[in-house]
């Protein structure tokens, strides 16, 4: 019947006219994200073998993996970097990874104010991953619990202790390179340098 579509549209309008507004008061009241939302990626060094399947699956080419072989046949992860400036958050890397080393699960509150800060090396990615685990009862975004050695490592790191990578995992690095400040201080120093410079 002619005009039935218009009548249906007006009924939706009338229904919502008398309901309270649904404005989200962000950032004071952040919205909960669904568990499988395609948000910022998290890379967990302890789960990564350096196979570079994620980099091969990425249509944008924003993941860089550089490895070198060890005597025992495993791979030394020389570089692991994600350029979020060109990432379209398609999630193909997370689907391709056989070890679930890269998972969607970052929050949209991890906003940056400098374009170059969207390029993360393995140290920054590890810092973000450790921060996520600390804030989520040491549970990965996929729902699995982190190994005890990883939990102990993150606890020691938060106390300022410099210990080796977690045993029994593929982890190679702490969240900061040798001689760097503890997590939290590096971003502030970067911002201060830019303001002064």
């Amino acid at each position: 019947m002619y005009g039935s579509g218009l009548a249906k549209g007006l009924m939706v309008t009338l229904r919502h006219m008398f309901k309270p507004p649904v404005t989200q008061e962000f950032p004071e009241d952040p919205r909960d994200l669904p568990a499988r939302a395609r948000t910022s990626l998290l890379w967990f060094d302890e789960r990564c073998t350096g196979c570079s399947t994620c980099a091969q699956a990425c249509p944008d080419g924003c993941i860089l993996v550089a490895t070198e072989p060890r005597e025992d046949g495993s791979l030394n992860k020389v570089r692991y970097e994600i350029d979020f400036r060109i990432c379209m958050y398609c999630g193909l890397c997370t689907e391709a990874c056989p070890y679930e080393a890269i998972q969607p699960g970052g929050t949209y509150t991890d906003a940056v104010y400098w374009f170059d800060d969207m390029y993360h090396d393995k140290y920054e990615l590890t810092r973000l991953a450790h921060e996520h685990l600390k804030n989520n009862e040491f549970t990965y975004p996929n729902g699995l619990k982190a190994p005890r050695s990883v939990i102990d490592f993150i606890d020691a790191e938060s106390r300022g202790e410099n210990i080796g990578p977690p045993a029994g995992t593929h982890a190679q690095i702490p969240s900061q390179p040798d001689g760097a400040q503890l997590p939290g201080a590096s971003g502030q120093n970067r911002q201060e340098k830019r303001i002064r410079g």
Side-chain angles (χ1 to χ4, degrees):
M1 182 194 310
Y2 183 74
S4 62
L6 179 64
K8 286 179 185 175
L10 286 172
M11 287 303 295
V12 172
T13 304
L14 288 170
R15 258 200 322 266
H16 286 276
M17 261 174 103
F18 303 104
K19 289 184 178 179
V22 290
T23 305
Q24 195 77 29
E25 297 294 334
F26 182 80
E28 292 81 12
D29 182 24
R31 184 169 59 112
D32 291 331
L33 290 172
R36 294 174 186 256
R38 288 181 179 167
T39 58
S40 189
L41 302 169
L42 291 170
W43 175 68
F44 299 96
D45 182 35
E46 66 273 9
R47 300 180 69 91
C48 180
T49 61
C51 70
S52 77
T53 308
C54 54
Q56 295 168 22
C58 179
D60 294 330
C62 63
I63 300 176
L64 170 70
V65 182
T67 60
E68 58 187 20
R70 290 200 193 105
E71 290 180 10
D72 63 358
S74 64
L75 295 173
N76 178 33
K77 291 167 276 187
V78 180
R79 292 174 71 184
Y80 193 100
E81 298 166 11
I82 301 178
D83 190 352
F84 288 104
R85 298 172 294 187
I86 56 176
C87 178
M88 63 179 177
Y89 303 99
C90 64
L92 292 176
C93 57
T94 65
E95 293 176 17
C97 180
Y99 307 103
E100 295 188 80
I102 185 166
Q103 301 177 27
T107 64
Y108 53 81
T109 56
D110 297 335
V112 296
Y113 299 97
W114 303 98
F115 190 63
D116 290 341
D117 287 348
M118 294 180 75
Y119 194 95
H120 297 328
D121 63 5
K122 62 182 181 178
Y123 299 104
E124 178 64 13
L125 290 167
T126 302
R127 186 191 68 77
L128 291 170
H130 288 183
E131 195 174 286
H132 171 84
L133 289 172
K134 278 193 289 189
N135 294 337
N136 293 279
E137 299 176 353
F138 297 101
T139 304
Y140 295 112
N142 64 5
L144 296 175
K145 197 82 171 165
R148 183 77 243 168
S149 59
V150 173
I151 296 171
D152 293 340
F153 176 83
I154 293 173
D155 284 340
E157 187 182 50
S158 63
R159 292 192 301 269
E161 297 175 16
N162 190 8
I163 62 173
T169 70
H170 298 288
Q172 295 177 210
I173 56 172
S175 65
Q176 293 296 319
D178 293 337
Q181 293 181 346
L182 289 173
S186 59
Q188 184 180 356
N189 288 345
R190 237 184 353 240
Q191 201 169 5
E192 285 174 5
K193 284 178 190 170
R194 286 206 175 101
I195 293 169
R196 287 181 197 153

